[in-house]
Structure formats: C-alpha cells, structure tokens
Amino acid sequence: MADGARGGVTDGKGVREYRMEELAAAAGITVRTLRFYRERGLISPPRREGRIAWYDDHHLAKLRTIAALLERGHTLNGIADLNTAFESGKPVGEVLGLGEPSEEEPVRLTPQELADYFAGEVTAENLMAALDLGYLATDGDAIVHISRRLLDVSAALVKEGVPLAAVLEAGRAVREHADAMAGLFTELLRTHAEEKDIERLRPLAKSVVEAELSMALDRRLRERP
C-alpha cells in the first residue's frame, strides 16, 4: 500500500519500505549521497527483490543520525567508527537482565542525544569503553544507558572539564571497589539476617558506604597536593 505523505510502501506486516529515490527524498539527501553512504558501510545493505533495492525505517533513522552527527561536527570517518563500535554493543536485555529488580533508571538515547550529553567527547574509543563497562547497551536504533544517575554525573564532570576517557577509567576502578563492598555486605547480611530481610536491610549497607566515602573525602581534601 502506498503512503503519499512519507513516500514508500507499507507491506502487510506494517513495515514501511522505500526505493532508493524515495529514501533519499525522505532523508533530505541526494541519491548520490545515499549511494556513497552505502558504499562506505554507513548504512546496512537493502533488501533485494529482483533488481529492486528496498530500504526501511531503520535505514531512514540511520541517515537522520548521520545528518545530526555531521551537524555536530563529526566526520564521516568518525561516524563510521562510532557505527562499528555501536554494532559491537550488547543488547539491553543482556546487560540489564530484563525483569530483574534495580534501583537505577535506564535512559534511552539516540546517538545524537548521546553526543549532545558529551559534546566533542563521544569518540569510538570512549563509546567502546562505555559499552565494555556495561554503561551502554543497544536496543534497535537506540542506545540505553543503564543509570540516569551515572549519566547525569558523568555529563556534569565532563562539563566541568574532566575528559570523558578519565571519567570512564575512574568508573572502571569504582566498579571494582563497589563490587568488593557489595560482596562484603551481601556476605554479612546472608550470614546474620534472614534471606527475606536482606532487601529491606539493603539501604543500611548503602548508608555505611556513603558515610565512609564522605569521611574519606574529608581526609583526602585536607591533605596538601
């Protein structure tokens, strides 16, 4: 079925598909540019039906992402590297463990929204580091950050002049120490409390860590550099 408003056709499953000329028009680029992006591997190959190449809304979303990143100063080579890194990411369900309880709020982001959070700092290397840490996961054409609190704190540090690479490296070290502390308190509670009470007592463990970190910061900040 044709759709004159947006171009392309919609099949019986509700999937919108475009011929090359229609996709280029929907994305606001020329057919020549579309061919160039395809040759560079910036978009995935189309579905072939005989001699006709069919593109879908995922291709359109990718083209709009490319345009947005170009507007933000990224080069095509840089976008290609980001695309390669993004495609290496784990699915969100694998990272978050869908259905498992968590106090953290995941955040869905487009690639350009992520770039806006960390202006000039979203490089392929930093993206790979964040994916490796498990801070980021993939969900179709979107990126999911596992924690709004971590996202906001990381962005605030970068805005204060701390390089994102340094923030991620610190996050890796904090992850190791936090995991050790979590293991200590989990063992403590499982040894001395009923299993049914552990979740209720969880805030006590967090309060001890927060208080100790606060006092440790007091001591460190009083020291002369």
Side-chain angles (χ1 to χ4, degrees), residues 102-195:
S102 174
E103 294 183 353
E104 298 307 309
E105 176 192 357
V107 184
R108 289 177 60 86
L109 302 162
T110 64
Q112 52 266 43
E113 286 172 340
L114 181 65
D116 288 342
Y117 259 94
F118 304 100
E121 295 275 345
V122 180
T123 63
E125 292 77 16
N126 286 337
L127 182 57
M128 285 294 293
L131 289 165
D132 183 57
L133 268 169
Y135 282 177
L136 298 177
T138 62
D139 186 16
D141 294 319
I143 298 172
V144 178
H145 196 291
I146 62 169
S147 167
R148 180 174 294 280
R149 289 194 292 180
L150 284 175
L151 175 63
D152 290 343
V153 169
S154 299
L157 288 170
V158 169
K159 287 179 181 177
E160 292 295 329
V162 182
L164 180 56
V167 172
L168 293 171
E169 187 59 32
R172 190 180 299 278
V174 169
R175 170 76 58 84
E176 294 177 1
H177 292 296
D179 191 64
M181 288 186 290
L184 187 156
F185 278 105
T186 300
E187 181 65 25
L188 178 70
L189 295 176
R190 284 180 173 162
T191 300
H192 300 285
E194 296 289 335
E195 188 71 28

Side-chain angles (χ1 to χ4, degrees), residues 42-105:
L42 292 174
I43 61 172
S44 57
R47 180 180 71 83
R48 292 283 179 178
E49 188 176 278
R51 300 182 63 182
I52 302 176
W54 289 105
Y55 299 83
D56 58 25
D57 279 336
H58 291 292
H59 294 99
L60 182 57
K62 181 61 67 68
L63 290 172
R64 288 172 174 166
T65 293
I66 293 170
L69 292 176
L70 286 172
E71 288 179 0
R72 287 158 173 77
H74 290 263
T75 65
L76 285 178
N77 285 337
I79 293 171
D81 290 341
L82 289 175
N83 188 52
T84 300
F86 177 67
E87 290 177 349
S88 73
K90 296 180 180 178
V92 63
E94 185 176 340
V95 174
L96 295 180
L98 294 182
E100 296 181 7
S102 174
E103 294 183 353
E104 298 307 309
E105 176 192 357

